[in-house]
Amino acid sequence: MKTHREIVDSLSARWPEHQVAKGLERISALTELLGSPQQGYPVIQIAGTNGKGSTAIMIDSILRACGLRVGRFTSPHLEKINERIHIDGEPITDEAFDALVADVMPLVEMAEAKCGDGTLLTFYEVMVGLGFEAFAQAGVDVAVIEVGMGGAWDATNVADAQVAVICPIAFDHTHLLGSTLAEIAGEKAGIIKAGARAVFAQQHPEAAKVLLGRAAQCGVKAVLEGIDFKLMKRLPAAGGQLISIDSISGAMNDLFLPLFGEHMANNAALATAAVAEFLGGRPLADEVVAEGLLQAKIPARLEVVRRSPTIVLDTCHNPHGALATMGGMAEAFAFTQLIGIVAMMRDKDVDAVLEIFSDQMAEVVVTGMKSTNRALTPEELSEKAQAYFDSDRIHATADMEAAIDEAVRLADAAGVGAGILIAGSVYAAGEARTLLGAREDDDQARIPEQPW
């Protein structure tokens, strides 16, 4: 019998997640053999460039506050593959994951044979199939599904969402999704189908035109941020922020959100609107939304994971995300000096992200990543950083462990009030989180000390 590690390694050896194989033929063959589990429960599907994962987690949490049993599929994972499949707010256990793989893998092999062209299902397609089947076996009331990339041809789109949520659209994965916002929006709009409800975050006009056109084509009414719902105000608070939302339920005031940054407050408004639409446009009780937002645990999004010096983790990896992250940093953490640890994939807009980081980072430690072969080497990243940082502000290390040690040394030398931000990649945040031993249930790690 294979161990859990061997099962994960076997899945990971499949066609990698970043090398996308477009089309729904393979996942459709698998779900048909599984009995189309994705049709056994309603689905809320989330697409967009940034904010998908955090919005999915908030939707999940609010739905559970409504008393519903919720399955949630997200990608990629930070530390463990099980994180991709949540039921009742918790990732499935190693034992449950292994049993799920044992149930599904024979059908994966049958689906591959059925396709008849020798093509194997990708790692991501298998994971999507596992998620759909897990939710069917658990008897969830609703599944919250984050799109991996794009929308129209993403494997999750074999499901027909009752509510299609589109987070802000920006430039990322342009080699696959298109070089204009209109092209990217066209791919993401593919999750909008006849009979659904659509909820859109505020968009650039070029993207909004495409999304609204798709909604009209499908006969779907679009619920729009800024018109049908909006974030009215927010105030910084210990451990997060107090927000007020205007929605179909009317004004909801002084909701505590245990997360930092305006982007997270906007995601909370979007999540609230999505849940209201899922429930048929019925008003939500303030206390239900308050409970759902309070219980939302979102790792590696401006997450404080260590003290003395304070270390913050974030997954931002494109310019739009980097701007949001640095805005949140400036607002929530009054560091006297910020030390950055940066690792990035070579297919990202590295220059634009480094330029944004350089506005606040006094010094930067560039490093590589052990968990992926797509990362820039420390030497490559250091060379790029020289366009935005003075040479004596750039420090290169071989790996994340050495980078953390170097950043702590620099912060200690800078004195009281210095802090560290680790950013640039989901994989980097995952490696750092494992090394630092962060725990989602450690409330003390989430609450900033005052004063800095």
Side-chain angles (χ1 to χ4, degrees), residues 345-374:
M345 301 295 192
R346 61 180 65 253
D347 59 347
K348 300 300 179 183
D349 191 349
V350 178
D351 286 284
V353 171
L354 287 172
E355 184 174 14
I356 292 165
F357 286 165
S358 69
D359 286 342
Q360 290 185 46
M361 292 180 181
E363 304 199 50
V364 63
V365 182
V366 297
T367 193
M369 291 178 270
K370 293 180 178 179
S371 53
T372 175
N373 59 10
R374 297 164 50 208

Side-chain angles (χ1 to χ4, degrees), residues 81-366:
I81 198 170
N82 313 43
E83 297 168 20
R84 295 173 181 244
I85 303 172
H86 274 65
I87 297 172
D88 294 331
E90 298 293 335
I92 63 174
T93 64
D94 290 355
E95 295 75 18
F97 183 84
D98 296 349
L100 184 66
V101 171
D103 288 344
V104 172
M105 285 312 294
L107 299 180
V108 169
E109 294 170 2
M110 290 175 63
E112 290 169 341
K114 182 179 179 181
C115 289
D117 58 0
T119 301
L120 301 181
L121 271 78
T122 68
F123 164 77
Y124 179 69
E125 288 167 339
V126 173
M127 288 303 304
V128 170
L130 290 170
F132 286 150
E133 178 62 16
F135 301 151
Q137 291 183 9
V140 301
D141 297 313
V142 53
V144 179
I145 308 293
E146 178 192 0
V147 170
M149 188 185 300
W153 42 260
D154 187 81
T156 62
N157 207 31
V158 72
D160 294 326
Q162 277 68 30
V163 179
V165 182
I166 309 289
C167 296
I169 293 173
F171 289 102
D172 202 5
H173 305 295
T174 53
H175 60 299
L176 293 168
L177 302 181
S179 59
T180 68
L181 286 178
E183 290 174 328
I184 297 170
E187 291 288 349
K188 297 181 186 295
I191 70 168
I192 304 168
K193 299 170 186 175
R197 293 170 180 258
V199 182
F200 298 158
Q202 196 155 18
Q203 304 288 345
H204 185 282
E206 187 178 351
K209 181 179 179 180
V210 174
L211 296 179
L212 291 170
R214 172 69 179 184
Q217 178 186 4
C218 295
V220 171
K221 178 183 180 294
V223 176
L224 309 177
E225 182 178 6
I227 297 175
D228 301 298
F229 69 95
K230 63 183 177 181
L231 174 69
M232 293 191 297
K233 65 177 181 178
R234 62 192 190 91
L235 294 171
Q241 51 191 311
L242 287 174
I243 66 173
S244 295
I245 297 171
D246 187 17
S247 71
I248 191 172
S249 304
M252 297 182 178
N253 295 311
D254 297 329
L255 304 169
F256 179 69
L257 181 66
L259 300 159
F260 304 112
E262 183 177 10
H263 59 303
M264 284 298 177
N266 285 321
N267 291 344
L270 180 64
T272 302
V275 173
E277 288 306 308
F278 174 73
L279 297 176
R282 297 197 305 272
L284 297 174
D286 290 22
E287 57 269 24
V288 169
V289 176
E291 176 67 14
L293 295 180
L294 180 65
Q295 297 303 321
K297 296 179 180 180
I298 307 182
R301 273 73 161 187
L302 292 180
E303 179 189 21
V304 178
V305 291
R306 184 64 62 89
R307 297 293 184 192
S308 301
T310 297
I311 301 178
V312 181
L313 282 185
D314 199 87
T315 59
C316 66
H317 53 270
N318 56 46
H320 184 266
L323 283 170
T325 292
M326 300 314 288
M329 286 293 298
E331 177 181 275
F333 303 94
F335 292 130
T336 56
Q337 185 163 308
L338 179 62
I339 313 298
I341 297 177
V342 179
M344 293 194 68
M345 301 295 192
R346 61 180 65 253
D347 59 347
K348 300 300 179 183
D349 191 349
V350 178
D351 286 284
V353 171
L354 287 172
E355 184 174 14
I356 292 165
F357 286 165
S358 69
D359 286 342
Q360 290 185 46
M361 292 180 181
E363 304 199 50
V364 63
V365 182
V366 297

Side-chain angles (χ1 to χ4, degrees), residues 42-63:
V43 168
I44 300 174
Q45 191 174 17
I46 303 106
T49 302
N50 291 307
K52 300 191 302 291
S54 55
T55 300
I57 291 171
M58 291 186 209
I59 290 172
D60 177 349
S61 192
I62 296 171
L63 287 168

Side-chain angles (χ1 to χ4, degrees), residues 313 340-346 350 354 357 361 364-372 374-383 385 393-407 420-425 427-429 431-432 435:
L313 282 185
I341 297 177
V342 179
M344 293 194 68
M345 301 295 192
R346 61 180 65 253
V350 178
L354 287 172
F357 286 165
M361 292 180 181
V364 63
V365 182
V366 297
T367 193
M369 291 178 270
K370 293 180 178 179
S371 53
T372 175
R374 297 164 50 208
L376 287 167
T377 66
E379 295 75 20
E380 291 170 327
L381 195 50
S382 178
E383 183 177 350
R393 295 167 58 202
I394 303 170
H395 313 265
T397 65
D399 56 34
M400 182 59 70
E401 185 172 12
I404 293 171
D405 289 341
E406 176 65 7
I420 298 168
L421 170 65
I422 303 175
S425 169
Y427 291 89
E431 287 187 16
L435 287 166

